[in-house]
Amino acid sequence: MNRTILDLWVGFFVAIGIGSLLFLALKVSSFSGIDMEKAYRLEARFDNIGGLKTKSPVRSAGVLVGRVTDIRFDNATYEALVIMHIDSRYVFPADTFAAIYTAGLLGDQYIGLEPGGDERDLANGDSIFKTQSAVVLEKLVGQFLFSKAAEGQNQ
């Protein structure tokens, strides 16, 4: 009888462990309850998207409001075209600003929407014209080293 109770407790803790791992896997993958059936489509063009990927979050004021659904290269303008689906519960003015940010120092990239003050709202299929590309760490380090080398030559 003692062995049966011990086996039962071990099974119970294994089940809790598996449930915890499932919970963490969903948290890490940024699984959300956004209803994509009730979402509207927005697009934005960026000079450089860095490491932005499809299914990356779209946030406003830190709140998840949508997801990146497609990324394409425009051969005519040589820019990245990013297509997002925004939850229909969230409405943004027509002069909304979209920027690519990094979550933490070396984290994943996401799009941040900063609402403007226009009275007209963005609708399904509209474009966001005010954008800021991703800050590429390698480019910043290269500029810093180049400026330091230039200072050394002038002295």
Side-chain angles (χ1 to χ4, degrees):
M1 187 75 166
N2 227 358
R3 175 85 174 154
T4 306
I5 293 174
L6 181 65
D7 288 344
L8 185 64
W9 277 107
V10 168
F12 178 70
F13 283 112
V14 167
I16 288 176
I18 290 172
S20 299
L21 287 175
L22 180 64
F23 174 75
L24 287 174
L26 291 176
K27 269 307 221 194
V28 168
S29 68
S30 299
F31 179 76
S32 69
I34 290 181
D35 187 8
M36 288 306 225
E37 304 232 349
K38 296 179 182 176
Y40 60 99
R41 179 183 181 272
L42 295 178
E43 58 183 46
R45 295 177 184 276
F46 296 92
D47 292 329
N48 188 343
I49 60 167
L52 190 72
K53 302 175 192 117
T54 56
K55 297 186 181 178
S56 291
V58 178
R59 299 183 182 277
S60 183
V63 176
L64 182 67
V65 296
R67 292 259 175 221
V68 173
T69 56
D70 193 17
I71 300 172
R72 300 182 202 146
F73 182 74
D74 187 354
N75 285 324
T77 61
Y78 303 107
E79 293 176 318
L81 175 65
V82 178
I83 298 169
M84 305 165 267
H85 279 100
I86 307 297
D87 192 326
S88 60
R89 295 178 294 174
Y90 308 108
V91 181
F92 293 94
D95 61 346
T96 295
F97 183 79
I100 299 176
Y101 297 113
T102 303
L105 186 60
L106 299 173
D108 285 338
Q109 292 189 320
Y110 67 95
I111 294 182
L113 298 179
E114 297 174 21
D118 199 339
E119 292 182 12
R120 188 179 70 83
D121 291 331
L122 290 168
N124 187 31
D126 282 352
S127 293
I128 297 174
F129 295 105
K130 298 177 181 179
T131 62
Q132 178 183 344
S133 295
V135 175
V136 181
L137 189 60
E138 293 86 2
K139 196 174 188 179
L140 286 176
V141 170
Q143 288 175 345
F144 175 75
L145 293 175
F146 181 74
S147 67
K148 288 297 179 185
E151 284 177 14
Q153 290 177 350
N154 292 337
Q155 290 179 3

